Structure formats: C-alpha cells, structure tokens
Amino acid sequence: MNKKIFSLTMILAIPLGVNAFPGEGQGPGGHFEMLSKELNLSAEQKPKVEALFKEQREKMKTLHEDTQNQLKQLLTPEQVSKLEDLKKQHRQHFKDKFGKNAADPLDAAEPAIAK
C-alpha cells in the first residue's frame, strides 16, 4: 500500500518537475538560459521561447491543482493525511539531496490539501 501511495505521489509530482525547468541545479528559468545559450537563440526568438515556457508552467500548475482537488475528493481523510506526510518526506529528501536552498518544484505549484 505504501508503495502505491508513494508511486501516486511521484506521478502527481512529475508535472511539477517540468514546471520549474531547473537546469543543473539552477532555479526556475535555468532550462531557458541553458537552451538560449546552447541553441544560440536570436533576440527575436528569446522572448517567444520564454513566453512558451511560461505558458506551459501555468498550464501545468492548473492541471496539477485540478488533479490535487480531484484526488482530495476521492481519498479518505486518513489517506489525505498520509499523502501529506509522503509529500513532506519527499520535500525533506529533496532538500537533503539538493540542499536547503534548492527550489522544490512541489512548493512552486502545489496547493495545500485540506484535511
């Protein structure tokens, strides 16, 4: 059961990993900066690509919020509590692995689930 809940948590968190696009430990926008440099984007292309990434982040955030709200309605109060505990464990693991100042994608877009 714990593996199922953990797997569900990770599946729900996948869109958030895309949300920030952190390139090699950089904060939000790191992926854009890396692509801009590696692809040698022109001055005309940069704002268009950046706007595309911003739009995608907003869509992913909305999708994640909708999914969390639907999930909250499906789970029992005990399951919601357990899910919150698993998210806390994930955040701690993330901070332990990447440092306390690393931007956790879950913090960026995830609404709190009411118990």
Side-chain angles (χ1 to χ4, degrees), residues 1 5 8-9 71-87 113-115:
M1 179 68 170
I5 292 174
L8 179 61
T9 301
L71 182 61
K72 177 180 70 173
Q73 294 174 8
L74 296 173
L75 298 178
T76 66
E78 293 82 16
Q79 290 170 324
V80 171
S81 177
K82 181 64 177 177
L83 182 60
E84 286 298 319
D85 290 343
L86 290 169
K87 289 176 189 177
I113 294 179
K115 293 181 182 175

Side-chain angles (χ1 to χ4, degrees), residues 8-100:
L8 179 61
T9 301
M10 296 312 296
I11 289 169
L12 293 173
I14 287 172
L16 295 174
V18 175
N19 182 41
F21 285 111
E24 300 179 24
Q26 299 172 10
H31 188 72
F32 169 73
E33 293 299 325
M34 180 190 69
L35 279 180
S36 178
K37 180 180 176 182
E38 292 294 323
L39 298 176
N40 195 26
L41 295 178
S42 70
E44 182 181 332
Q45 290 173 314
K46 284 180 183 182
K48 292 177 182 178
V49 172
E50 194 168 25
L52 180 64
F53 282 179
K54 182 179 180 182
E55 180 182 343
Q56 181 184 14
R57 282 191 305 270
E58 291 168 1
K59 286 180 181 179
M60 294 304 288
K61 181 179 179 181
T62 300
L63 176 63
H64 183 75
E65 289 171 352
D66 290 347
T67 301
Q68 289 296 308
N69 289 332
Q70 291 177 35
L71 182 61
K72 177 180 70 173
Q73 294 174 8
L74 296 173
L75 298 178
T76 66
E78 293 82 16
Q79 290 170 324
V80 171
S81 177
K82 181 64 177 177
L83 182 60
E84 286 298 319
D85 290 343
L86 290 169
K87 289 176 189 177
K88 287 178 187 175
Q89 290 174 13
H90 168 76
R91 284 185 178 99
Q92 186 60 50
H93 174 74
F94 188 88
K95 287 179 182 180
D96 291 346
K97 186 171 182 175
F98 297 106
K100 65 180 180 178

